[in-house]
Amino acid sequence: MTYTAASGLFAATWLLLLFPLVGAALLLLGGKALDRAGYQFATLMPIASFVLAVVLFFHLKSQPTSGRAVDDHLYSWIAVGGFHVSAGLLLDPLSMIFVLLITGVGSLIHIYSIGYMAHDPGRRRFFGYLNLFVAAMLLLVLADSYLGLYVGWEGVGLASYLLIAFWQYKPAAGTAAKKAFVMNRVGDVGLSLAIMLMFATLDKVDYAGVFGGVHHIGHADLTAIALLLLLGACGKSGQVPLQGWLPDAMEGPTPVSALIHAATMVTAGVYLIARSAPIFDLAPEARLVVTIVGAVTLLFGAAVGCAYDDIKKVLAYSTVSQIGYMFLAVGLGPAGYAIAIIHLVAHGFFKATMFLGAGSVMHAMDDQVDMRRFGGLRSVMPVTFATFLMGYLAIIGFPLWSGFWTKDKIIEASFDKGGTSGYILGICALLGAGVTAFYMTRLMILTFFGKRRWTEGVHPHESPVSMTAPMIVLAIGSAVGGFLLILNGGVQHWLTPVLGKSAEEGVHTVNGTVLTIITLLVVAGGMSGAYVAFGRPTVRIPWTPPQAGAVVTAARRNLYGDAFNEAVFMRPGQYLTRFLVFVDGRGVDGAVGGLAALVGGTSGRMRRAQNGFVRSYALSMSLGAVALVGALLLVRFG
Amino acid sequence: MNPANYLVLAAVIFTIGAVGVLVRRNAIVVFMCIELMLNAANLTLVTFSRLRGSLDGQVIAFFVMVVAAAEVVVGLAIIVTIFRTRRSASVDDANLLKY
């Protein structure tokens, strides 16, 4: 795998990073002087990056297929003996898609935040962190080595942590941020171990070197690298078993949930696996694990999403579930890489739409999130409703909306994997589609339809234009995006140089049309199930959730995921800490402090001998002299 | 005369001096007891010098006398100063320097 050196326009790739970085530095270091105007400047930064990204995209498109991987070498970063890492940016079809998604959605969400954060005293800090996130995320996708990716990886983790805890005065926000940080750390250890293993086996960590030497790595090492990369991806993308932090991360401001915890950062795991395609292609066992993780997660997220009443948490579990789809696809190998990326982009649009819609609803409802206190908002907030509807139709895979094109492809590809595992994965994906339709319909009905169950003193109103405009743009993207991406296999062809040819021409296990009809039937089943349970005029939705059976209770407690983590990791950890504190306090401090006390006490008693009476000194001297002489005599004559 | 008698006499004088230092409180008396001990030592030195037929011991006795004279000068000055400030020459009253 060779990369062309950057020249001409491509040498400006680093400017993509520079804009948001300058914005972040200025806003975070600038102080109160920028409180009034800083946010406008910060909003311009991702827009500038987006414009540049579009220019670069067309320039990249005009290159011949073989010249579409451009390496913009910046400077030599680490040079120790035979080990060289250069700081460089790799612009290729895969990173280009991500750059467009990040800067595009990022720009829209910056604009939305102008309205959403208008009255927040920490607005400057907020925009500074957002810019920092955009810069780190761009570094993550643009880096040309795993080490560079790791820097961006940690950077987005930091930005995510800071933004989840943005409202520090809320204890829940602080706890959620810590949880996100710690669980991400588990994944990051996996990623860093994978990088170390690459270094140990190949002496290289840059993409060109690693992918070029991938055939020289033993199979066991390669599988280990792939699984460790998967662990890293699971941590960042909220996949089972590291899914617990993502729903809690909704404590942050809603634009953050939309940008970081739905559209971009949490999909970094998918990017990591797609980017490491040459490694995973040679480790089929690891790929099978990826598909299993994806299938389990998509069902897990969908099941929990059915039970929550917090609108943002439902969307969060929906994100977990949708990323599960992407993992499933990306684990299918060349057949699924491109589909996963397409679903990722489509998901970026429709999930951002819905999160921004949820933010708009919360804005109108005095920051309430309990869907049991919404209802009938359709007529009060027509724009929010219409845009949310677009996102809704897209996620459930309603015909012609983007989910219809992208999710169906994933289901189809799962069946096409062949064998028993293909059937199991396919049925999981199919089932997930039905459950997705169920919980999303439930969310729509509870929020926008039915009777008004508002709390006293709430006067919902439509949000300002700065908030609705980005929602409309994203809604259009959700509606037509999937179709445009899939049109003529455009994105698949675009990605072929990076990810290899997708096996489009292969024989399908299940006929495509039949599968589409089955999927639509399952989706319709989910929708009607939700209507029967929540939408009929006779159904009353009480404010407090009614008693429920074991399954629903389990789902309400996120299938005991948090309880499991607490029992297996947190409590033993606390006991270990307590034990170590005890050992430190009693053992180590006891030995050190005891020794000091012993010396101190002894000298305290011994100094009493210094009583100031000169005759007693004389006596002791005499006795000493006698003892000395006695000893001498003893030695001489004894 | 048997030179050993001188040694016995020196031992007796030394013991008197040592016991005097230990039991007496008056600083002047303690001081004189110290002189007794020094002179007992001198007597021993001179006796051994005579026994061995060498002059070394007698020379050292002169040194001791010089040191004793210097010591008396400094010691008496200290005792007088203490007496002036404390109106007492008892060594047990000068016990401020302690733990």
Side-chain angles (χ1 to χ4, degrees), chain A residues 235-296:
Chain A
K236 198 54 97 195
S237 293
Q239 300 296 291
V240 172
L242 297 174
Q243 83 290 354
W245 67 273
L246 187 51
D248 284 18
M250 298 301 130
E251 286 296 335
T254 309
V256 174
S257 313
L259 177 61
I260 301 184
H261 305 121
T264 55
M265 185 191 84
V266 288
T267 57
V270 183
Y271 169 79
L272 179 66
I273 295 178
R275 172 60 78 195
S276 312
I279 296 175
F280 280 90
D281 283 347
L282 294 177
E285 295 87 355
R287 265 191 3 218
L288 184 67
V289 178
V290 176
T291 55
I292 292 170
V293 166
V296 168

Side-chain angles (χ1 to χ4, degrees), chain A residues 607-615 617-620 622, chain B residues 21-25 30 91-92 94-99:
Chain A
R607 69 177 190 175
R608 292 275 153 196
Q610 304 288 321
N611 53 13
F613 291 111
V614 73
R615 293 186 301 143
Y617 300 160
L619 180 63
S620 33
S622 314
Chain B
V21 167
L22 289 179
V23 301
R24 297 304 296 264
R25 290 205 183 88
V30 169
V91 287
D92 282 4
N95 67 343
L96 284 181
L97 188 66
K98 58 181 174 186
Y99 51 83

Side-chain angles (χ1 to χ4, degrees), chain A residues 10-79:
Chain A
F10 290 126
T13 307
W14 64 282
L15 284 176
L16 285 171
L17 278 171
L18 187 73
F19 288 128
L21 207 56
V22 166
L26 207 63
L27 260 72
L28 294 177
L29 304 176
K32 286 196 172 141
L34 293 168
D35 267 354
R36 291 174 64 86
Y39 73 95
Q40 290 160 340
F41 178 73
T43 311
L44 287 177
M45 291 297 107
I47 296 174
S49 290
F50 179 63
V51 171
L52 179 60
V54 171
V55 172
L56 284 173
F57 169 69
F58 283 109
H59 193 51
L60 195 67
K61 206 165 183 307
S62 68
Q63 305 292 319
T65 319
S66 57
R68 282 189 189 161
V70 186
D71 196 351
D72 183 11
H73 173 79
L74 297 180
Y75 57 91
S76 179
W77 185 12
I78 301 172

Side-chain angles (χ1 to χ4, degrees), chain A residues 103-458:
Chain A
T103 54
V105 176
S107 301
L108 290 172
I109 287 172
H110 272 77
I111 296 168
Y112 177 91
S113 305
I114 294 176
Y116 192 83
M117 302 299 282
H119 306 296
D120 198 291
R123 184 175 59 179
R124 176 177 56 84
R125 193 163 53 91
F126 179 79
F127 277 90
Y129 291 160
L130 270 194
N131 269 357
L132 176 68
F133 168 75
V134 172
M137 189 72 204
L138 286 174
L139 176 62
L140 195 164
V141 296
L142 279 172
D144 70 346
S145 67
Y146 278 100
L147 213 55
L149 174 137
Y150 191 74
V151 174
W153 192 268
E154 294 298 319
V156 292
L158 169 70
S160 158
Y161 169 78
L162 292 171
L163 283 165
I164 295 169
F166 180 72
W167 288 316
Q168 311 110 320
Y169 51 84
K170 283 179 11 188
T175 315
K178 273 189 281 183
K179 187 172 176 184
F181 203 80
V182 170
M183 290 189 86
N184 265 298
R185 197 76 19 240
V186 177
D188 292 353
V189 168
L191 177 57
S192 60
L193 285 178
I195 297 173
M196 289 176 208
L197 209 52
M198 288 171 199
F199 173 65
T201 48
L202 284 176
D203 261 4
K204 289 195 177 76
V205 293
D206 59 312
Y207 293 150
V210 172
F211 299 155
V214 82
H215 291 279
H216 306 301
I217 309 179
H219 189 70
D221 282 344
L222 203 64
T223 309
I225 291 176
L227 288 176
L228 287 167
L229 287 175
L230 173 65
L231 178 64
C234 281
K236 198 54 97 195
S237 293
Q239 300 296 291
V240 172
L242 297 174
Q243 83 290 354
W245 67 273
L246 187 51
D248 284 18
M250 298 301 130
E251 286 296 335
T254 309
V256 174
S257 313
L259 177 61
I260 301 184
H261 305 121
T264 55
M265 185 191 84
V266 288
T267 57
V270 183
Y271 169 79
L272 179 66
I273 295 178
R275 172 60 78 195
S276 312
I279 296 175
F280 280 90
D281 283 347
L282 294 177
E285 295 87 355
R287 265 191 3 218
L288 184 67
V289 178
V290 176
T291 55
I292 292 170
V293 166
V296 168
T297 308
L298 80 90
L299 287 177
F300 184 103
V304 178
C306 295
Y308 271 55
D309 293 324
D310 179 331
I311 185 170
K312 281 181 77 182
K313 293 219 165 154
V314 173
L315 289 176
Y317 272 107
S318 155
T319 305
V320 169
S321 165
Q322 294 300 312
I323 298 173
Y325 270 107
M326 296 171 210
F327 268 62
L328 172 58
V330 91
L332 294 173
Y337 290 138
I339 303 169
I341 301 299
I342 294 169
H343 190 59
L344 189 156
V345 175
H347 173 256
F349 274 96
F350 62 65
K351 191 50 69 60
T353 311
M354 286 191 286
F355 262 116
L356 295 188
S360 177
V361 168
M362 285 163 59
H363 206 62
M365 301 297 280
D366 293 346
D367 285 331
Q368 292 188 57
V369 289
D370 190 350
M371 291 191 293
R372 292 181 179 277
R373 281 140 211 256
F374 294 168
L377 288 171
R378 180 185 61 222
S379 49
V380 195
M381 311 180 71
V383 180
T384 305
F385 170 67
T387 51
F388 208 106
L389 187 67
M390 294 299 125
Y392 162 72
L393 293 173
I395 192 175
I396 62 169
F398 197 79
L400 304 185
W401 267 262
S402 42
F404 172 72
W405 305 103
T406 59
K407 201 191 286 179
D408 273 20
K409 283 274 179 202
I410 296 179
I411 298 172
E412 196 180 302
S414 311
F415 277 111
D416 287 351
K417 184 174 184 287
T420 324
S421 63
Y423 270 104
I424 295 173
L425 294 173
I427 287 167
C428 283
L430 201 56
L431 209 62
V435 185
T436 305
F438 177 83
Y439 70 74
M440 285 312 299
T441 310
R442 172 174 176 268
L443 188 150
M444 281 303 277
I445 290 172
L446 289 184
T447 308
F448 292 105
F449 293 91
K451 292 201 195 70
R452 298 179 171 181
R453 303 179 300 276
W454 308 340
T455 44
E456 229 119 324
V458 171

